[in-house]
Coordinates of all heavy atoms in Angstrom, one line a residue:
E15 N -71.3 65.1 -28.9 CA -70.4 64.2 -29.7 C -69.6 65.1 -30.7 O -68.4 64.8 -30.9 CB -71.2 63.2 -30.4 CG -71.9 62.2 -29.5 CD -72.7 61.2 -30.3 OE1 -73.3 61.6 -31.3 OE2 -72.8 60.0 -29.8
N34 N -48.6 82.7 -26.7 CA -47.6 82.7 -25.6 C -47.5 81.3 -25.1 O -48.5 80.7 -24.7 CB -48.2 83.6 -24.5 CG -47.2 83.8 -23.4 OD1 -46.5 82.9 -22.9 ND2 -47.2 85.1 -22.8
F37 N -49.5 80.1 -22.0 CA -50.9 80.1 -22.0 C -51.4 78.7 -22.3 O -50.9 78.0 -23.1 CB -51.5 81.0 -23.1 CG -51.3 82.5 -22.9 CD1 -51.6 83.4 -23.9 CD2 -50.8 83.0 -21.7 CE1 -51.4 84.8 -23.7 CE2 -50.6 84.3 -21.5 CZ -50.9 85.2 -22.5
S38 N -52.5 78.3 -21.5 CA -53.1 77.0 -21.7 C -54.4 77.0 -21.0 O -54.6 77.7 -20.0 CB -52.2 75.9 -21.1 OG -52.8 74.6 -21.2
T79 N -42.8 68.2 -15.7 CA -42.7 67.4 -16.9 C -41.9 68.1 -17.9 O -42.1 69.3 -18.2 CB -44.1 67.1 -17.4 OG1 -44.8 66.3 -16.5 CG2 -44.0 66.2 -18.7
K107 N -30.9 69.1 -7.6 CA -29.5 68.6 -7.6 C -29.3 67.5 -8.6 O -30.2 66.6 -8.7 CB -29.2 68.1 -6.2 CG -27.8 67.5 -6.0 CD -27.7 67.0 -4.5 CE -26.4 66.2 -4.4 NZ -25.2 67.0 -4.6
R108 N -28.3 67.6 -9.4 CA -28.0 66.5 -10.3 C -27.7 65.2 -9.6 O -27.0 65.2 -8.6 CB -26.8 66.9 -11.2 CG -27.0 68.1 -12.1 CD -25.8 68.5 -12.9 NE -25.4 67.4 -13.8 CZ -24.6 67.5 -14.8 NH1 -24.1 68.7 -15.1 NH2 -24.3 66.5 -15.6
S154 N -30.0 67.0 -0.9 CA -31.1 67.8 -1.5 C -32.3 67.8 -0.7 O -33.3 68.4 -1.0 CB -31.4 67.3 -2.9 OG -31.7 65.9 -2.9
I156 N -32.8 69.3 1.9 CA -33.0 70.6 2.5 C -34.1 71.4 1.8 O -34.6 72.3 2.4 CB -31.6 71.4 2.4 CG1 -31.7 72.7 3.2 CG2 -31.3 71.7 0.9 CD1 -31.9 72.4 4.7
N199 N -31.8 86.4 11.0 CA -33.0 87.2 11.2 C -34.0 86.6 12.2 O -35.0 87.3 12.5 CB -33.8 87.5 9.9 CG -32.9 88.4 8.9 OD1 -32.1 89.1 9.4 ND2 -33.2 88.3 7.6
G216 N -13.8 75.0 11.5 CA -15.0 75.8 11.8 C -16.3 75.1 11.6 O -17.4 75.6 12.0
E263 N -39.8 62.6 4.8 CA -40.0 62.6 3.4 C -38.7 61.9 2.8 O -37.6 62.4 3.0 CB -40.1 64.0 2.9 CG -40.2 64.1 1.3 CD -41.7 64.4 0.9 OE1 -42.5 63.6 1.3 OE2 -41.9 65.4 0.2
G279 N -30.3 33.9 -14.5 CA -31.5 33.7 -15.3 C -32.4 34.9 -15.3 O -32.1 36.0 -14.9
S288 N -51.6 44.8 -22.2 CA -50.9 44.8 -23.5 C -50.8 43.5 -24.2 O -50.3 43.4 -25.3 CB -49.5 45.4 -23.2 OG -49.5 46.6 -22.6
A329 N -50.5 38.3 -10.0 CA -49.8 37.1 -9.6 C -48.3 37.3 -9.5 O -47.8 38.2 -10.1 CB -50.1 36.0 -10.7
S331 N -44.5 37.4 -7.0 CA -44.0 38.1 -5.8 C -43.0 39.1 -6.2 O -42.2 39.0 -7.2 CB -43.3 37.0 -4.9 OG -42.7 37.6 -3.8
S341 N -43.4 40.6 -1.0 CA -44.8 40.5 -1.0 C -45.4 39.1 -1.1 O -44.6 38.1 -1.3 CB -45.4 41.3 -2.3 OG -45.1 40.5 -3.4
N347 N -51.9 45.9 -5.1 CA -51.4 47.1 -5.8 C -49.9 47.3 -5.4 O -49.6 47.2 -4.2 CB -52.2 48.3 -5.5 CG -53.6 48.3 -6.2 OD1 -53.8 47.7 -7.2 ND2 -54.5 48.9 -5.5
I350 N -44.4 50.2 -9.1 CA -43.3 49.5 -9.9 C -42.0 50.2 -9.9 O -41.0 49.6 -10.2 CB -43.8 49.2 -11.4 CG1 -44.1 50.6 -12.1 CG2 -44.9 48.3 -11.4 CD1 -44.4 50.4 -13.5
S353 N -40.4 48.5 -6.8 CA -40.6 47.0 -6.6 C -39.7 46.3 -7.6 O -39.5 46.7 -8.7 CB -42.1 46.7 -7.0 OG -43.0 47.3 -6.0

Side-chain angles (χ1 to χ4, degrees):
E15 292 178 328
N34 187 320
F37 291 172
S38 174
T79 300
K107 177 180 171 64
R108 294 179 62 163
S154 56
I156 191 63
N199 293 337
E263 180 100 305
S288 307
S331 177
S341 72
N347 289 329
I350 58 174
S353 296

